[in-house]
Amino acid sequence: MLFDIVGAGAVGLLYTSGLIRAGIHVRLWTRTKQQADILRTEGLMVTERDGSLTRWRQVEAYPFQEAAQVIQDSGSPIEILGLFVKQTHLTNSFINQLGALPRATDSLFVCFQNGIGHIERLQSVIAGEQLVKAVTTEAATRVEANRIIHAGSGITWLGQDLTSCERLQKNIKVLNNLLNQAGFQSNLSNNIDNMIYHKLLINAVINPITAMLRIPNGELLQTERRVQLMRDVYEEVTSIYREAGIPVANDAWDNVQLVCRNTAHNTSSMLADVLQGRSTEIDSITGELLRKADAHALNVPVQRALYQFIQALDPMNPLL
């Protein structure tokens, strides 16, 4: 089984490492030629949870812009593709290029994006029954182009909106087995949207505030004012969920705080983007929530203020 991975950020490289360890053929697609060259020549290094270092010297890596030609020349079309790029990279050009890649008729595209709204956009070029939604709580940090730290083990959930044909359902089970072979705790879910919205709630509370205050996750719990700000955001998000008919778990607030404690030293992905001067995923997280709030005529001033603040930090924002 050939497993393509698009996106060589921290989590993409983490899954690449696990799949290689399990003896699965991985074809890795990077954003830049430079990173692909480094991975091919120097390999991939992972600092594991126990502090040990794993190094994979044989990494088949290519820049994504060469994907169509490489796949065509290889005669090995896409079977399973894990999409690990951030929402900010899902431009119309990228999506069109992704949809044009040679692929098997029963191929699967597994989407690991934070936030919501991307599945609808991908459906313009990929059949809905071939799109698998993925939610993971695995945590990793990329410290160099070919070196990551596995910061925290978690659970991966896979699911779909549509009832696919029997052949595609079989492939989803194969995918789930492959991820478990690779050392990830992976499960199939009949309620994947609930899990996506649960993670969205956590991201909507933690990511913008850490990016605004420029602090690691655990420091959100260090003062009463920070906790109150988190609570204000949480209450607004759950009010949007209630109006939209999205379930909220009874222990959702406790889970938000638990994530802060369990990832106390982690830099959120949004804060990392701000520190690196990159565009953030604020539009696919808080922006999507604001669109839902507007649809229900809800007043959510804290959400709107956070959205505007993070947008103002974006060096690529054309309105600035």
Side-chain angles (χ1 to χ4, degrees):
M1 174 66 73
L2 174 61
F3 204 120
D4 285 277
I5 288 185
V6 177
V11 180
L13 290 177
L14 177 65
Y15 278 76
T16 297
S17 172
L19 291 163
I20 292 175
R21 179 185 289 111
I24 297 163
H25 181 191
V26 179
R27 195 164 50 183
L28 176 62
W29 304 97
T30 66
R31 186 174 61 85
T32 67
K33 183 179 185 300
Q34 180 184 24
Q35 187 183 14
D37 290 343
I38 291 172
L39 285 161
R40 280 200 309 273
T41 58
E42 300 180 17
L44 170 60
M45 292 174 283
V46 182
T47 301
E48 307 288 357
R49 296 281 290 125
D50 61 3
S52 63
L53 181 67
T54 300
R55 182 170 185 174
W56 306 107
R57 297 185 182 275
Q58 300 297 321
V59 180
E60 185 179 349
Y62 311 91
F64 181 70
Q65 58 265 31
E66 298 177 8
Q69 190 63 53
V70 170
I71 293 173
Q72 182 177 331
D73 292 345
S74 71
S76 300
I78 291 167
E79 300 175 67
I80 295 177
L81 183 147
L83 189 61
F84 287 90
V85 300
K86 291 186 176 181
Q87 288 258 21
T88 51
H89 296 151
L90 293 178
T91 62
N92 290 337
S93 175
F94 177 90
I95 290 173
N96 289 333
Q97 188 176 354
L98 187 69
L101 296 179
R103 61 182 187 264
T105 55
D106 57 353
S107 60
L108 295 177
F109 288 72
V110 193
C111 306
F112 282 84
Q113 283 61 52
N114 286 326
I116 56 177
H118 56 289
I119 295 295
E120 292 77 8
R121 297 182 62 211
L122 289 166
Q123 283 177 339
S124 66
V125 296
I126 301 168
E129 63 268 19
Q130 292 183 281
L131 293 171
V132 179
K133 297 178 179 180
V135 175
T136 185
T137 54
E138 293 285 347
T141 302
R142 198 182 85 179
V143 291
E144 295 178 20
N146 64 333
R147 182 185 169 199
I148 62 169
I149 298 171
H150 189 184
S153 298
I155 301 175
T156 301
W157 293 93
L158 307 169
Q160 286 187 301
D161 286 338
L162 305 173
T163 301
S164 304
C165 68
E166 183 177 345
R167 185 172 55 186
L168 287 171
Q169 286 297 320
K170 180 180 178 181
N171 283 357
I172 295 174
K173 292 178 182 178
V174 169
L175 163 64
N176 189 58
N177 290 336
L178 287 176
L179 292 179
N180 278 291
Q181 289 174 33
F184 302 104
Q185 187 179 341
S186 182
N187 303 278
L188 298 175
S189 172
N190 292 324
N191 296 296
I192 191 67
D193 282 344
N194 287 351
M195 295 180 178
I196 288 173
Y197 279 111
H198 176 69
K199 186 174 182 180
L200 177 64
L201 170 59
I202 293 172
N203 285 339
V205 174
I206 294 175
N207 285 15
I209 302 177
T210 56
M212 180 178 67
L213 299 179
R214 302 198 177 198
I215 57 175
N217 296 352
E219 291 188 21
L220 288 174
L221 302 178
Q222 287 187 356
T223 71
E224 291 184 8
R225 288 183 176 179
R226 291 175 186 173
V227 173
Q228 185 59 55
L229 177 57
M230 290 172 62
R231 185 74 193 196
D232 290 344
V233 175
Y234 171 85
E235 293 294 345
E236 285 191 351
V237 175
T238 54
S239 71
I240 295 169
Y241 278 22
R242 284 192 293 272
E243 287 295 324
I246 300 167
V248 178
N250 292 332
D251 59 351
W253 172 243
D254 293 334
N255 283 333
V256 170
Q257 297 176 88
L258 180 62
V259 169
C260 287
R261 286 191 288 269
N262 289 346
T263 62
H265 301 293
N266 287 16
T267 298
S268 72
S269 59
M270 192 170 291
L271 174 56
D273 286 338
V274 168
L275 294 175
Q276 294 297 321
R278 299 186 298 248
S279 295
T280 72
E281 294 179 294
I282 191 68
D283 198 58
S284 60
I285 297 174
T286 308
E288 288 288 347
L289 290 170
L290 284 172
R291 283 184 272 279
K292 288 185 180 296
D294 290 342
H296 294 278
L298 282 177
N299 184 30
V300 284
V302 182
Q303 289 289 293
R304 202 166 301 279
L306 283 176
Y307 179 76
Q308 292 173 342
F309 186 92
I310 301 300
Q311 285 284 63
L313 293 174
D314 188 347
M316 303 302 292
N317 191 329
L319 298 179
L320 298 182

